[in-house]
């Protein structure tokens, strides 16, 4: 048989056994040898066969050993490296490349082979490997092409090494549109959209994709005017913005919290499409829905969901998941459960992510009872928990500081065969180190080592943050210095117990400091006022080609402001602008906070004007800082117009805005103005318990008992919980100013509305009515008080440690809710004797009501009586 027929027969045999890669490999090994080598295309076919089945990847080393035994393995190694998808595992491809490069007198692999390996390394985020392969390509004598350089450029941008990326870009002998797009996207991701605009300006021809990238970058940084100018420029140059352009603008604006601006664009797309604007697509609706939900604008989101239902845009599980996320985040769990039922009814099958939204959302509330309920839900069989589900539960228990429950979740994962991932362990590691429980953290590291998990940069950052939090900053700095040469082995400096957990592997040596590492260190240094050392770390970071972002600069601004060095903070602001890093609204808010602490309203106004000039819109926090500054200086009337200014700028005042003004006006005894602000707060923020509580407390503080009673009655009519209200102080205050009839009316309203409250609230009214000789009313109230105590059905928590500022009402003699103390008071002897007589029969036979309650639930008793 001729050699060509033999090759054809071999390839035919391999194809007939394609369903069993292991059998195909055995045939290949049996039929080929040094005396009868295979054809390269047979090798290529077999390698693709093995690569297509992950279970066959373990057979690839056998194939490589066999090929290296052939007289001339080079064409076969090239066939392996040049084979098309499915792609070979990266580790195996590197072994094949090293073997090929080690062969004597063999020409270097061609550039396309290196390009395949470079692309594979980039897709696995192995940026260090991209650089190594690129250097090897140059050493081999192969010529990099545009595609090669674009991959290197993309790796540098993804690693945040923008200065080096720029140098590579400038040195490229030839570029294509992808080169410009890669660099522009890198600048935008680094928060340097103006630099990205410079790249766009240098393009021979304007490109729609690059324009969309830069527009999205501008919107993320709050540079709306720049984005609008670029859109107009596109139109002028005959490049019509498409739906991707608009989606990018809407998405970026929503992420920046400017949901109303995003909705204006969305609305134009819906209503003005006949003017050439693109119609909203599925992505547009989904992004707008997420924007409303993230901003807490649930009513607007609900209207949008109805529109999506009518228009056929609510047919995907991804869209339902976005709405579900919004409901859970805003505390509407019942409606979220209804949505789950709707999904099933509409034929949309919930996925694991759907259930994990509910679990994760509830767990992040940080409420112990909620976590236990969610855990019960997970175990109910409604869903099949995965590693994300368990990690959410573990995170919730860690937030509570309940390490025992977190470890129990880890054990349950092992029992269920659900292997924790590195993120799972890092969540628990972060909790332990944050609380300074270093010994438990070491045990967890040991457990990770036993399970085969190696530490990564995220793990090291957690430990470094824990050291900074526990006053071991110098040790943290020493470890960061060592990480550049030793990787995570530098953690061995913490002691022998750590060194024994670490292995000298290539993965550990790749564990280098990143932007988060330096940000953690600089934040800790700035908090301690060690600004010179923080500056040195900033220079070191830049020297390591890690570009500082706005968060880094914000750290310095916050640190300087915290130490009263606002002039230095302003210099940082100017420096970051010179370096091409655009300040955000957070940057200005930190600086404004610093001037607020110095009661410098004039500088705050100047900074707000500067923000507007630069297209950075102030938010509610910005205005609240100015309001607080005015109020602290006794200039509440000057702060009041800021509410109207906020609304004109489509910024909705929050509870803090009204709280500051109400307190300021009450302090100056301008109670009518405080009432107007309170009325405005209800119309703006809705009938919120906290607003009524603020108003009642402030009026009570200054002895305005009638007004306080009116505010409380409004709350009662709105069915608002009153457990945070000073209702007992209001009742006592009314009695002390001889308004016992009003206090009696308030008590009756509480009972009519079905509120459970502290029975001690009856005592001032009983005393006052008894002094007036209203025996019948006293008897009625005494009966009601005894009935309420007898029920013992979860009385309202006492209203707290409220102490009026007025000296006349400086002591609240009825605040004590212990019935034993009430029954042994010295005053009002006749009334107390009467009540005591009744107590001795019935309820008194069971002892003190709070003693009984304490026996039932000691935990609740402790919580209620410690505030």
């Amino acid at each position: 048989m001729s050699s060509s027929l033999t090759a054809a027969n071999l390839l035919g045999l391999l194809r007939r056994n394609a369903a069993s890669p292991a059998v195909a490999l055995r045939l290949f090994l049996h039929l080929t040898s040094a005396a009868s080598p295979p054809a390269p295309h047979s090798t290529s076919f077999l390698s693709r066969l093995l690569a297509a089945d992950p279970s066959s990847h373990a057979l690839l080393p056998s194939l490589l050993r066999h090929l290296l035994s052939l007289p001339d393995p080079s064409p076969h190694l090239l066939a392996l490296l040049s084979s098309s998808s499915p792609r070979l595992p990266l580790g195996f491809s590197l072994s094949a490349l090293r073997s090929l490069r080690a062969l004597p007198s063999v020409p270097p692999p061609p550039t396309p082979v290196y390009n395949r390996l470079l692309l594979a390394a980039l897709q696995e985020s192995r940026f260090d490997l991209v650089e190594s392969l690129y250097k090897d390509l140059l050493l081999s004598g192969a010529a990099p092409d545009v595609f090669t350089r674009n991959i290197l450029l993309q790796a540098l941008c993804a690693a945040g090494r923008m200065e080096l990326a720029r140098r590579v870009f400038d040195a490229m002998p030839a570029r294509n549109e992808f080169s410009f797009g890669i660099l522009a996207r890198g600048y935008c991701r680094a928060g340097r959209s103006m630099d990205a605009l410079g790249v766009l300006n240098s393009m021979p021809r304007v490109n729609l994709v690059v324009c969309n990238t830069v527009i999205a970058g501008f919107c993320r940084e709050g540079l709306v005017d720049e984005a609008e100018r670029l859109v107009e420029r596109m139109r002028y140059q005959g490049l019509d913005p498409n739906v991707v352009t608009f989606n990018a603008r809407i998405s970026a604006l929503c992420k920046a919290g400017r949901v109303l601006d995003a909705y204006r664009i969305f609305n134009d797309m819906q209503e003005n499409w006949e003017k050439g604007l693109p119609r909203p697509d599925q992505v547009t609706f989904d992004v707008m829905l997420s924007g409303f939900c993230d901003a807490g604008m649930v009513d607007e989101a609900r209207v949008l969901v109805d529109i999506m239902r009518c228009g056929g845009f609510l047919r995907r599980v991804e869209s339902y998941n976005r709405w579900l996320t919004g409901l859970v985040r805003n505390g509407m769990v019942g409606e979220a459960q209804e949505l789950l039922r709707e999904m099933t009814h509409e034929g949309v099958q919930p996925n694991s992510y759907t259930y994990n939204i509910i679990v994760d959302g509830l767990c992040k509330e940080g409420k112990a009872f909620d976590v236990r309920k969610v855990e019960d839900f997970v175990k109910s069989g409604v869903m099949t928990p995965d590693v994300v589900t368990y990690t959410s539960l573990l995170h919730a228990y860690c937030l509570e500081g309940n390490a025992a429950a977190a470890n129990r979740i880890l054990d349950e994962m092992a029992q269920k065969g659900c292997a924790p991932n590195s993120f799972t362990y890092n969540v628990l590691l972060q909790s332990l180190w944050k609380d300074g429980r270093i010994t438990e953290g070491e045990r967890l590291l040991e457990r990770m080592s036993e399970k085969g998990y190696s530490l990564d940069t995220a793990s090291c950052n957690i430990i470094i943050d824990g050291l900074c939090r526990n006053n071991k900053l110098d040790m943290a700095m020493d470890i960061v210095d060592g990480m550049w040469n030793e990787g995570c082995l530098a953690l061995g400096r913490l002691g022998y117990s750590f060194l024994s957990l670490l292995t000298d592997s290539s993965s550990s040596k790749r564990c280098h400091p990143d932007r988060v590492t330096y940000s953690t260190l600089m934040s800790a240094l700035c908090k301690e006022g060690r600004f010179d050392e923080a500056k040195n770390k900033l220079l070191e970071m830049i020297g390591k080609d890690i570009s500082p972002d706005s968060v880094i600069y914000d750290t310095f601004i916050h640190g300087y402001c915290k130490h009263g060095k606002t002039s230095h903070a302003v210099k940082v602001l100017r420096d970051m602008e010179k370096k091409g890093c655009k300040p955000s609204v957070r940057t200005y808010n930190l600086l404004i906070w610093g001037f607020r602490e110095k009661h410098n309203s004039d500088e705050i106004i100047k900074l707000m004007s500067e923000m507007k000039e630069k297209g950075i819109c102030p938010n509610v926090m910005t205005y609240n800082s100015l309001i607080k500054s005015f109020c602290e200086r006794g200039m509440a009337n000057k702060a009041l117009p800021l509410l109207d200014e906020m609304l004109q700028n489509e910024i909705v005042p929050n509870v803090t805005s009204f709280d500051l003004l109400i307190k300021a006006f009450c302090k100056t005894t301008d109670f009518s103005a405080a009432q107007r602000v309170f009325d405005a707060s209800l119309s703006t923020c809705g009938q919120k318990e906290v607003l009524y509580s603020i108003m009642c407390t402030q009026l009570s503080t200054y002895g305005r008992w009638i007004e306080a009673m009116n505010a409380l009655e409004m709350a009662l009519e709105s069915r608002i919980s009153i457990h945070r209200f000073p209702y007992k102080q209001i009742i006592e205050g009314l009695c002390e100013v001889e308004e016992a009839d009003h206090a009696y009316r308030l008590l009756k309203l509480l009972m009519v509305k079905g509120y459970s409250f502290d029975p001690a609230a009856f005592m001032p009214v009983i005393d006052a009515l008894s002094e007036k000789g209203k025996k019948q009313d006293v008897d009625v109230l005494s009966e009601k008080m005894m009935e309420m105590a007898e029920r013992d059905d979860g009385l309202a928590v006492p209203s707290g440690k409220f102490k009026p500022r007025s000296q006349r009402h400086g002591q609240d003699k009825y605040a004590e809710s212990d019935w034993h103390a009430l029954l042994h008071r010295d005053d009002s002897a006749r009334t107390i004797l009467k009540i005591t007589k009744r107590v001795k029969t019935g309820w008194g036979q069971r002892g003190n009501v709070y003693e009984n309650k304490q026996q039932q639930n000691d935990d609740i008793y402790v919580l209620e009586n410690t505030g």
Side-chain angles (χ1 to χ4, degrees):
M1 189 172 356
S2 67
S3 60
S4 60
L5 287 175
T6 302
N9 288 339
L10 175 60
L11 185 59
L13 282 172
L14 295 177
R15 284 174 173 164
R16 283 196 293 275
N17 289 278
S20 179
V23 173
L25 176 63
R26 286 199 296 272
L27 285 171
F28 184 87
L29 298 178
H30 179 70
L31 296 175
T32 61
S33 64
S36 179
H41 61 268
S42 297
T43 304
S44 178
F45 177 81
L46 180 59
S47 67
R48 293 197 303 273
L49 202 62
L50 296 173
D53 184 5
S55 64
S56 301
H57 288 179
L59 304 175
L60 287 167
S62 301
L63 174 62
L64 180 60
R65 286 193 296 270
H66 181 73
L67 295 176
L68 291 174
S69 69
L70 300 177
D72 184 13
S74 59
H76 302 284
L77 294 175
L78 280 174
L80 281 177
L81 295 169
S82 303
S83 62
S84 58
S85 59
R87 180 167 52 82
L88 291 167
L90 182 56
F92 175 76
S93 298
L94 292 174
S95 298
L97 177 67
R98 284 193 292 268
S99 300
L100 181 62
R101 294 281 281 124
L103 295 175
S105 305
V106 174
T111 300
V113 169
Y114 277 103
N115 286 348
R116 287 180 181 277
L117 293 172
L118 285 165
L119 185 60
L122 178 64
Q123 290 171 344
E124 293 189 12
S125 299
R126 297 279 302 277
F127 307 130
D128 55 335
L129 182 57
V130 171
E131 291 188 61
S132 299
L133 285 169
Y134 188 80
K135 291 175 182 177
D136 189 67
L137 179 148
L138 297 177
L139 290 172
S140 72
D145 55 18
V146 176
F147 184 72
T148 315
R149 291 188 173 92
N150 280 350
I151 294 174
L152 176 63
L153 189 64
Q154 192 168 351
L156 293 171
C157 289
R161 304 175 66 182
M162 294 309 303
E163 304 308 321
L164 182 56
R166 183 72 206 203
R167 292 200 294 272
V168 169
F169 177 82
D170 291 338
M172 291 175 69
R175 310 184 188 103
N176 57 17
E177 290 184 338
F178 293 104
S179 311
F180 290 93
I182 291 167
L183 186 61
R185 183 166 58 252
Y187 276 130
C188 288
R189 287 178 175 174
R192 298 169 59 179
S193 297
M194 290 304 296
D195 290 327
L197 180 62
V199 175
L200 176 63
N201 292 337
S202 65
M203 293 183 70
R205 185 177 58 187
V206 177
N207 178 282
L208 179 61
V209 174
V210 180
C211 285
N212 287 344
T213 300
V214 178
I215 288 168
F218 280 143
C219 292
R220 274 193 298 273
E221 295 176 38
L223 303 175
V224 180
D225 292 339
E226 293 291 343
E228 295 299 332
R229 277 194 286 270
L230 183 51
V231 171
E232 291 303 317
R233 173 181 160 188
M234 290 170 63
R235 291 194 176 106
Y236 179 76
Q237 295 181 346
L239 195 64
D240 290 332
N242 60 6
V243 69
V244 177
T245 314
F246 282 86
N247 287 347
R249 296 165 72 195
I250 291 172
S251 176
L253 288 168
C254 287
K255 288 178 181 177
R258 302 178 59 185
V259 184
L260 295 177
D261 288 336
Y263 181 70
R264 189 178 296 110
I265 295 172
F266 174 81
N267 197 48
D268 288 343
M269 294 174 69
Q270 281 188 299
E271 297 181 358
N272 298 328
W273 58 272
E274 69 277 1
K275 296 182 180 179
L277 298 183
R279 295 284 286 171
D281 61 6
Q282 183 70 57
V283 174
T284 320
F285 278 99
D286 285 347
V287 168
M288 196 68 246
L289 177 60
S290 292
F292 280 139
C293 291
D294 292 343
M297 302 170 68
V298 182
D299 292 335
E300 290 81 355
R302 191 175 285 106
V303 172
L304 182 62
V305 167
D306 290 338
I307 295 173
M308 292 174 70
R309 283 194 185 96
C310 296
F313 290 102
L314 199 64
R315 293 287 183 268
R316 304 187 312 157
V317 66
E318 293 81 7
S319 302
Y320 273 102
N321 285 347
R322 287 173 185 262
W323 181 216
L324 194 67
T325 301
L327 291 172
V328 171
R329 282 182 182 172
N330 289 279
M332 300 180 179
V333 184
E335 194 169 343
Q337 292 172 334
E338 289 293 332
L339 188 64
L340 279 176
R341 285 189 280 271
E342 177 188 320
M343 291 176 67
T344 306
H345 182 265
E346 293 294 329
V348 180
Q349 184 62 39
N351 55 22
S352 60
Y353 182 64
T354 309
Y355 291 111
N356 283 335
I357 289 169
I358 297 178
V359 174
D360 185 58
L362 290 175
C363 287
K364 284 181 179 177
E365 292 291 322
K367 298 175 183 176
F369 293 105
D370 281 348
V371 179
R372 288 194 284 271
K373 287 179 182 177
V374 174
E375 193 174 347
D376 292 340
F377 170 71
V378 169
K379 294 177 181 178
S380 67
V382 176
M383 61 180 294
T384 302
D386 56 15
V387 65
V388 178
T389 317
Y390 283 118
T391 302
S392 296
L393 288 170
L394 185 142
H395 190 201
Y397 283 122
C398 286
L399 289 175
E400 293 179 8
N402 192 342
N407 278 302
R408 176 172 53 76
I409 295 295
L410 277 179
D411 293 337
E412 184 175 327
M413 292 178 72
Q415 294 170 6
K416 299 290 185 180
C418 183
N421 55 25
S422 297
F423 181 75
T424 310
Y425 281 113
N426 281 343
V427 166
L428 188 51
L429 189 66
Q430 183 179 29
S431 173
L432 295 174
W433 276 85
K434 186 177 179 181
D435 295 339
R437 292 146 69 184
I438 297 175
T439 303
E440 293 177 65
E442 291 182 33
R443 286 201 294 268
L444 179 63
L445 288 173
E446 188 173 358
R447 186 170 181 172
M448 291 173 66
S449 180
E450 291 172 355
K451 298 292 184 181
Y453 291 96
S454 59
L455 297 182
D456 54 13
T457 301
S459 308
C460 292
N461 286 342
I462 289 169
I463 295 172
I464 289 165
D465 180 62
L467 290 170
C468 292
R469 289 175 181 271
N470 289 280
N471 301 316
K472 296 183 179 181
L473 178 54
D474 292 328
M475 177 62 75
M477 294 175 68
D478 188 38
I479 290 173
V480 172
D481 292 339
M483 284 175 65
W484 283 110
N485 295 321
E486 306 169 38
C488 66
L489 293 174
L491 293 177
R493 303 181 186 196
L494 290 171
Y496 178 77
S497 59
F498 279 87
L499 189 61
S500 63
L501 301 177
L502 304 170
T503 57
D504 187 6
S505 63
S506 59
S507 62
S508 67
K509 289 198 172 183
R510 286 197 302 269
C511 188
H512 290 160
D514 59 8
R515 188 181 287 115
V516 175
T517 318
Y518 279 101
S519 178
T520 302
L521 272 186
M522 285 184 275
S523 177
L525 288 167
C526 288
K527 283 179 182 177
E528 292 192 6
R530 297 162 63 175
F531 295 107
D532 290 338
E533 293 173 83
K535 289 178 187 176
N536 290 335
K537 284 298 171 185
L538 177 63
L539 295 175
E540 177 186 309
M541 173 184 172
I542 296 172
K544 297 292 186 180
D545 207 18
I546 303 175
S547 302
D549 58 5
S550 61
V551 176
I552 300 288
Y553 287 108
D554 288 352
T555 297
F556 279 92
I557 290 173
H558 185 215
Y560 279 127
C561 289
K562 190 175 181 180
H563 287 81
K565 300 181 178 182
T566 49
S567 58
H568 289 75
V570 173
K571 288 179 182 178
V572 173
L573 173 65
R574 303 305 172 213
D575 186 57
M576 71 184 290
E577 291 175 323
K578 289 178 184 177
K579 297 288 174 56
C581 185
K582 299 300 179 183
S584 65
V585 65
R586 181 177 183 272
T587 309
Y588 277 98
N589 281 346
L590 288 170
L591 196 52
I592 287 170
W593 171 83
F595 282 110
R596 189 198 76 198
E597 291 297 299
K598 289 193 167 187
H599 309 291
N600 194 334
S601 306
D602 295 336
E603 286 296 328
I604 295 176
I605 294 171
K606 288 179 184 177
L607 285 171
M608 290 180 68
S609 299
E610 182 179 312
M611 290 174 69
K612 295 172 184 176
E613 289 173 4
K614 294 179 178 178
I616 303 173
C617 294
N619 60 15
V620 66
M621 190 179 298
T622 319
Y623 276 99
N624 283 349
S625 291
L626 183 55
I627 290 172
K628 185 172 183 180
S629 179
F630 281 136
C631 290
E632 287 176 345
R633 294 170 61 188
M635 303 166 65
N637 285 319
K638 197 170 182 179
L640 187 58
L642 293 174
L643 292 179
D644 290 331
E645 184 179 324
M646 291 169 72
L647 293 171
Q648 289 171 5
N649 293 328
E650 298 183 347
I651 300 170
V652 181
N654 60 15
V655 170
T656 302
S657 315
F658 294 107
D659 181 27
L660 291 168
L661 286 166
I662 290 171
K663 288 179 179 177
F665 280 122
C666 286
K667 187 175 181 180
T668 60
T669 67
D670 191 349
F671 299 105
S672 59
Q675 183 65 46
R676 290 196 298 272
V677 173
F678 173 62
D679 294 339
S681 72
L682 297 180
S683 60
T684 304
C685 301
Q687 305 285 319
K688 290 189 175 180
E689 172 190 340
V690 63
L691 293 171
Y692 283 103
S693 177
I694 289 168
M695 193 64 182
C696 278
T697 301
Q698 287 303 304
L699 291 171
S700 299
T701 299
Y702 297 97
R704 309 287 292 194
W705 303 116
I706 297 295
E707 292 97 323
M709 179 195 68
N710 292 335
L712 178 55
E713 288 181 345
M714 288 175 60
L716 297 177
E717 293 295 338
S718 299
R719 304 298 301 165
I720 288 175
S721 172
I722 61 166
H723 74 284
R724 296 182 185 275
F725 283 62
Y727 60 91
K728 289 193 295 181
Q729 286 82 354
I730 294 172
I731 291 170
E732 179 189 355
L734 289 169
C735 292
E736 289 189 6
V737 295
E738 299 183 355
E739 294 288 351
D741 291 338
H742 284 299
Y744 188 13
R745 190 187 73 191
L746 182 57
L747 275 179
K748 288 193 290 186
L749 184 60
L750 283 166
M751 290 184 285
V752 167
K753 294 293 183 181
Y755 281 91
S756 293
F757 56 92
D758 191 342
F762 284 91
M763 293 307 303
V765 185
I766 290 174
D767 287 348
L769 294 178
S770 180
E771 289 177 3
K772 290 184 176 183
K774 296 186 177 182
K775 180 178 180 298
Q776 185 175 358
D777 291 337
V778 168
D779 288 342
V780 171
L781 286 182
S782 299
E783 290 289 346
K784 291 292 184 183
M785 181 174 66
M786 293 297 100
E787 288 174 9
M788 184 173 290
E790 178 70 26
R791 286 198 302 268
D792 189 22
D793 57 354
L795 303 177
V797 179
S799 56
K801 300 178 181 179
F802 171 87
K803 294 291 181 186
R805 295 184 186 176
S806 170
Q807 291 298 318
R808 186 171 54 153
H809 304 291
Q811 181 64 36
D812 181 9
K813 64 181 178 180
Y814 298 104
E816 177 63 70
S817 59
D818 187 300
W819 279 90
H820 185 75
L822 277 176
L823 295 176
H824 290 81
R825 278 183 8 202
D826 293 333
D827 59 341
S828 306
R830 289 175 297 174
T831 304
I832 294 301
L833 283 173
K834 181 177 180 180
I835 297 174
T836 305
K837 184 177 180 180
R838 297 187 180 188
V839 169
K840 287 180 179 178
T841 61
W843 165 65
Q845 295 172 2
R846 294 193 289 117
N848 184 298
V849 65
Y850 262 84
E851 291 174 352
N852 182 52
K853 187 172 184 179
Q854 185 176 1
Q855 292 168 4
Q856 296 176 25
N857 192 336
D858 287 335
D859 292 337
I860 294 177
Y861 177 81
V862 172
L863 287 172
E864 288 184 343
N865 286 275
T866 57

